[in-house]
Amino acid sequence: MDKEKIVLVAGTFDILHESHVNLLRNAKNLGDKLIVMLSTDAFNVRKGKNAFQDYDTRKYVLEAIRYVDLVVPEQSWEDKSLYIDMFDVDILAMGDDWKGKFDFLKEEFPDLKIMYFPRGNISSSKIKVEIGKLYSARNKAALEGKDEVNG
């Protein structure tokens, strides 16, 4: 029997959106099992990221996605090596905003294939900005006594 092909992706996956789902679907199509290494809240703080949703919420949502077989916590940069070794990962798939940043892993794992997927047109950061603008406009309208943003 052939060995299962294991694919690993890593990220924060805050406010799950279409680009996230595309990454997960494309990564799953590369192998038999997709493992998502999800950045913990503490690791996000160390990376300078401010996630809107906490780790447990992001994990819960990811576990509901049909492409995802397992979600594990990413607590440090070194966890990539740990999980690649632990799960005998064949492919590390990341968004192309990380292009080249994890190629060093091939030194430790020469058989590892690293793939970078193009980012979509939407991001969690863009969503947060747009929601902020919407609520700012609504609050301003409310203070001015208007019922609607456009009214």
Side-chain angles (χ1 to χ4, degrees), residues 40-136:
T40 62
D41 297 332
F43 186 44
N44 277 332
V45 168
R46 286 197 303 279
K47 293 190 296 184
K49 284 192 136 191
N50 186 16
F52 175 75
Q53 296 172 307
D54 66 19
Y55 174 84
D56 290 334
T57 300
R58 293 180 286 118
K59 182 176 188 279
Y60 179 82
V61 172
L62 281 168
E63 289 174 335
I65 303 294
R66 68 180 175 195
Y67 309 115
V68 176
D69 295 297
L70 179 65
V71 178
V72 295
E74 180 181 27
Q75 301 175 72
S76 72
W77 293 111
E78 294 75 27
D79 282 355
K80 286 179 183 60
S81 290
L82 173 80
Y83 289 126
I84 289 167
D85 185 45
M86 180 187 301
F87 293 112
D88 196 16
V89 171
D90 299 286
I91 301 169
L92 173 65
M94 301 288 293
D96 66 0
D97 52 326
W98 291 98
K99 192 166 184 75
K101 292 196 172 71
F102 297 107
D103 291 353
F104 70 90
L105 290 167
K106 291 198 60 68
E107 294 171 21
E108 187 177 353
F109 305 99
D111 295 331
L112 179 68
K113 186 171 185 179
I114 302 175
M115 301 194 63
Y116 298 99
F117 290 104
R119 286 182 65 98
N121 295 328
I122 192 70
S123 72
S124 299
S125 298
K126 286 181 185 178
I127 291 171
K128 291 174 196 175
V129 168
E130 290 304 313
I131 289 171
K133 287 179 186 176
L134 176 66
Y135 278 96
S136 292

Side-chain angles (χ1 to χ4, degrees), residues 135-151:
Y135 278 96
S136 292
R138 284 194 177 159
N139 287 338
K140 183 178 178 187
L143 290 172
E144 293 173 356
K146 297 178 181 175
D147 289 335
E148 298 179 19
V149 173
N150 298 324

Side-chain angles (χ1 to χ4, degrees), residues 7-20:
V7 181
L8 179 70
V9 300
T12 298
F13 295 95
D14 191 27
I15 308 176
L16 198 75
H17 52 74
E18 179 182 0
S19 294
H20 287 140

